[in-house]
Amino acid sequence: MLKLGLIGKGISRSQSARLHVLLGRMCGMDVTYDYLDSDQIADFDLIKQLTKCADTGYAGVNVTHPYKTSARKLITPRRRLPEALGAVNTVVFREDGWRGDNTDFVGFMRGYRQQFGDAKPGTVLQLGAGGVGLATAFGLRGLGADKILIHDKDVARGEELVATITAADANAVFVGESDLADAVRSADGLINCTPIGMNQYPGCPFDVDLFGGQKWAFDAVYTPVETAFLRAAAKSGMEVMTGFELFFFQGIEAFEVFSGAEIDADAARKEYFSAYPEALTG
């Protein structure tokens, strides 16, 4: 039995359980995956919840909004985690201590390479500097992006992300509202890490009239999978990567960390869409 879970706030819509249970089944493992929602736990405290999980037989847990940064401060990071990446989304409980990882940033890189091969990201404009934006920014750094342009309506948050990845030797610049149109036009790649495009927040975060000449686009939103942004990007000639790829590969990375198994991603994709065909449309 491999006992896993997800710690977060308002996580009832998460699809993580079905992915991890399916991956376990592929490996011949009996997996349980519990949702530990802070909205449903009286007097929730992160360290107490992690300790309870460790004491009650969990192999590990995923951590999501709004606890990734707090978890990073509490837990020893795995060696592959960049020192400056101040967020953890995967915690493994071992006899010699707890280890933290961020499979979002590794999952983004795997998804990018799966979709675009060895093509370099070039100059990339990213909207959104929250938790997923932190991970994709470090992913862009790992992929060798020439320049990372960050825009967030919360200027302080955007500038903080720029400072963080610049300190990690990335070439990054904050883009204000007045320079946003020029940044869209000059970019090779466009990334949405805002909630705009989700079923509950419909719309497109970019001005589609500025599309034309960009090479690729990624939307972190995966409900729905085909967003207004990606439809417009594809129509203008960009190659696109859906948010499902990030969800899928960060999940595989996390399961491999939890279980020690090695997952055949192509086989897992076929199994997942066979079991959950609605995931193709979100």
Side-chain angles (χ1 to χ4, degrees), residues 77-83 101-103 105-106 253-254 257:
R78 293 185 74 215
R79 192 169 298 149
R80 71 174 182 178
L81 191 65
E83 182 63 32
D101 205 341
N102 188 309
T103 65
F105 104 96
V106 183
E253 287 283 333
V257 170

Side-chain angles (χ1 to χ4, degrees), residues 46 63-64 66-77 80-90 100-105 129-139 141 160-161 163-165 167-168:
L46 180 59
V63 179
T64 191
Y67 303 113
K68 294 180 186 181
T69 302
S70 299
R72 172 66 178 83
K73 294 173 182 176
L74 295 170
I75 294 161
T76 303
R80 71 174 182 178
L81 191 65
E83 182 63 32
L85 208 175
V88 155
N89 79 326
T90 301
D101 205 341
N102 188 309
T103 65
D104 286 333
F105 104 96
V132 69
L134 176 69
T136 55
F138 270 90
R141 167 187 173 271
E160 182 181 2
L161 175 54
T164 298
I165 56 176

Side-chain angles (χ1 to χ4, degrees), residues 7 36 41 44-54 56 58 61 93 98:
I7 295 175
L36 306 166
I41 298 173
F44 177 84
D45 177 84
L46 180 59
I47 189 66
K48 288 181 180 178
Q49 185 61 57
L50 288 168
T51 301
K52 183 178 180 180
C53 288
T56 55
Y58 283 80
V61 293
F93 304 118
W98 303 352

Side-chain angles (χ1 to χ4, degrees), residues 163-256:
T164 298
I165 56 176
T166 299
D169 297 322
N171 181 11
V173 177
F174 179 76
V175 176
E177 195 72 39
S178 61
D179 297 319
L180 191 55
D182 286 341
V184 174
R185 293 189 189 98
S186 68
D188 297 301
L190 300 174
I191 290 181
N192 175 41
C193 288
T194 78
I196 299 173
M198 294 174 67
N199 287 325
Q200 59 268 49
Y201 303 107
C204 178
F206 291 93
D207 181 351
V208 300
D209 291 336
L210 301 174
F211 288 2
Q214 298 90 355
K215 297 176 182 176
W216 64 273
F218 165 67
D219 199 333
V221 171
Y222 68 96
T223 52
V225 173
E226 187 180 79
T227 60
F229 164 44
L230 292 186
R231 284 196 302 271
K235 190 175 180 180
S236 73
M238 289 181 243
E239 291 187 74
V240 301
M241 173 179 159
T242 71
F244 177 81
E245 301 302 315
L246 174 56
F247 162 75
F248 180 69
F249 281 110
Q250 68 80 22
I252 286 178
E253 287 283 333
F255 186 81
E256 290 178 339

